[in-house]
Amino acid sequence: MSQTEALTLLLTRLSPQHPQRQFLEQQLSRTTAGKRGEERIKRKFNEFYMEEDFRILWDVNLKIGTWSVQMDGLLLTEKGAIIIESKNISGQLHFDEKTGEFSRVNLAGERSVMENPKIQLRKHIRFLTHYFKMKKINLPISGLIVFTAKDCEFISKPHGVYVCKTYQMIEYLLRILQAFPLEAEDCKLAKIQKMILTTQTPYEQTPLCSYYFIDPKELQSGIFCSSCQSLSMQRLNKSWLCKNCGFQNPLAHILAIQEYFSFVETTITNQKLRAFCGFESRSVATRLLCQLDLKRVGQSKSRSYQLRK
């Protein structure tokens, strides 16, 4: 489940008066804007071309021990690798080299200090350097921060990293590639690509109730109807029927269980499923849980179910 989908469904289960609602709506807006920015980068990258072989990977999740990273994009070429970081931040952008701070001034003239994307990019370059060394990959590494908001303006830029807007991205990528040394020896991009794809580690998100300090008891129970966007599905003849719009979906409980794992905790029981979904039949809950490929722990009434690693 994507972060955008998870936040949308979480808001569905919170009352309109919930104290966290406005903040979560802002988080959803930022996340949605960030995804739109990443899509702009992907569309722009369609204009990228070079005669030598190259590979582009999107949404790369890698891990070394307990150190995990998520890179928006990774360009692999015979000359080197370029990490692409997407930032959807509007307004006037200022990198202060003396203090290391990054700030923006919005259209209302309000200034806010934000996490410096230069630091994040350097962390990712440091990670990929270790990863390549472990895998005996001999490729130099660089990075590019792409600001995707249409109404952003650079007041100053940082030293030591490449920063650009979406429309400038292709030219910057080619400029970085030209700055790399000669082609690396024995560089097999297909093999490197396969290695990265096979060692990807899904990003482990803390359950949203814990992350945003929400009491799970404050979540409204029910099964979500994807047709009318309400928690109004009821069990009928081994299926789920929306009492509001009449939409029928025999698999609606699968999303509800995914919601529970995303919002509450990574272990669910028969009783917790019934409370979360708002129905009473213990036998139905058992049957629904057994349909899924979940790890079973314990016996009989004390049994719990977990996502498999």
Side-chain angles (χ1 to χ4, degrees):
M1 184 182 298
S2 69
Q3 188 177 9
T4 302
E5 184 181 11
L7 283 170
T8 301
L9 291 168
L10 179 63
L11 284 165
T12 302
R13 292 187 179 272
L14 293 178
S15 70
Q17 295 77 32
H18 194 277
Q20 286 279 69
R21 187 171 191 88
Q22 184 177 358
F23 173 75
L24 290 173
E25 288 172 345
Q26 293 172 349
Q27 290 293 104
L28 176 59
S29 178
R30 292 193 187 100
T31 302
T32 304
K35 288 298 179 184
R36 285 199 301 266
E38 292 173 13
E39 290 303 317
R40 290 191 197 107
I41 284 181
K42 292 178 183 179
R43 289 195 298 269
K44 189 65 181 177
F45 190 83
N46 290 331
E47 301 175 15
F48 180 84
Y49 174 78
M50 60 184 299
E51 292 184 357
E52 298 82 6
D53 188 20
F54 70 89
R55 310 295 169 97
I56 182 67
L57 305 177
W58 301 111
D59 191 22
V60 178
N61 295 271
L62 295 173
K63 193 172 186 179
I64 301 175
T66 58
W67 184 10
S68 59
V69 299
Q70 186 275 328
M71 293 175 275
D72 297 322
L74 178 60
L75 174 62
L76 299 172
T77 77
E78 295 175 350
K79 288 187 173 182
I82 303 176
I83 298 170
I84 302 173
E85 287 297 320
S86 169
K87 294 297 174 186
N88 191 286
I89 303 175
S90 59
Q92 296 181 330
L93 310 179
H94 179 64
F95 291 85
D96 191 321
E97 287 299 312
K98 292 182 179 179
T99 64
E101 297 281 14
F102 167 69
S103 62
R104 73 98 176 255
V105 177
N106 63 20
L107 295 177
E110 301 166 334
R111 179 178 179 271
S112 56
V113 176
M114 311 176 78
E115 184 175 330
N116 193 336
K118 173 180 176 179
I119 304 300
Q120 182 186 43
L121 180 60
R122 284 184 167 175
K123 287 179 181 178
H124 288 175
I125 291 175
R126 191 165 65 250
F127 175 95
L128 198 59
T129 301
H130 285 296
Y131 179 86
F132 278 3
K133 185 177 181 180
M134 288 172 54
K135 304 296 183 181
K136 295 181 172 55
I137 299 172
N138 183 27
L139 273 181
I141 302 166
S142 186
L144 175 63
I145 304 169
V146 184
F147 283 84
T148 59
K150 296 180 179 179
D151 55 350
C152 70
E153 176 187 5
F154 293 121
I155 303 303
S156 63
K157 284 189 173 184
H159 300 314
V161 296
Y162 293 97
V163 175
C164 72
K165 298 182 182 181
T166 307
Y167 78 92
Q168 301 170 315
M169 182 180 71
I170 303 301
E171 297 305 315
Y172 269 75
L173 289 174
L174 294 173
R175 185 189 305 178
I176 295 170
L177 289 171
Q178 289 173 356
F180 280 138
L182 297 177
E183 294 179 6
E185 297 179 2
D186 300 323
C187 178
K188 297 180 175 60
L189 294 186
K191 183 178 180 181
I192 296 172
Q193 180 185 26
K194 182 179 179 180
M195 182 182 298
I196 291 174
L197 291 176
T198 54
T199 56
Q200 284 220 76
T201 304
Y203 178 69
E204 296 181 8
Q205 173 69 52
T206 302
L208 295 186
C209 284
S210 297
Y211 190 78
Y212 291 115
F213 303 102
I214 296 171
D215 188 340
K217 295 178 182 178
E218 297 172 339
L219 300 181
Q220 298 179 29
S221 63
I223 298 281
F224 182 74
C225 174
S226 59
S227 178
C228 66
Q229 313 291 301
S230 64
L231 296 168
S232 52
M233 302 290 274
Q234 294 183 333
R235 191 71 176 170
L236 181 66
N237 298 328
K238 297 184 179 181
S239 185
W240 298 98
L241 182 69
C242 179
K243 63 181 180 181
N244 288 343
C245 70
F247 178 70
Q248 189 169 343
N249 181 4
L251 302 178
H253 59 280
I254 295 178
L255 178 61
I257 295 172
Q258 291 175 337
E259 286 184 82
Y260 187 90
F261 289 141
S262 297
F263 303 161
V264 185
E265 59 182 341
T266 56
T267 297
I268 193 170
T269 64
N270 185 298
Q271 181 181 6
K272 290 176 179 178
L273 174 63
R274 287 182 283 130
F276 188 77
C277 295
F279 66 91
E280 298 180 359
S281 174
R282 182 178 181 86
S283 60
V284 168
T286 299
R287 189 161 58 250
L288 296 179
L289 288 167
C290 289
Q291 289 175 359
L292 304 179
D293 184 26
L294 299 173
K295 180 181 178 182
R296 303 180 193 183
V297 179
Q299 299 294 325
S300 190
K301 292 185 178 181
S302 62
R303 175 174 292 170
S304 62
Y305 302 80
Q306 302 172 357
L307 287 172
R308 295 187 185 276
K309 297 294 184 181

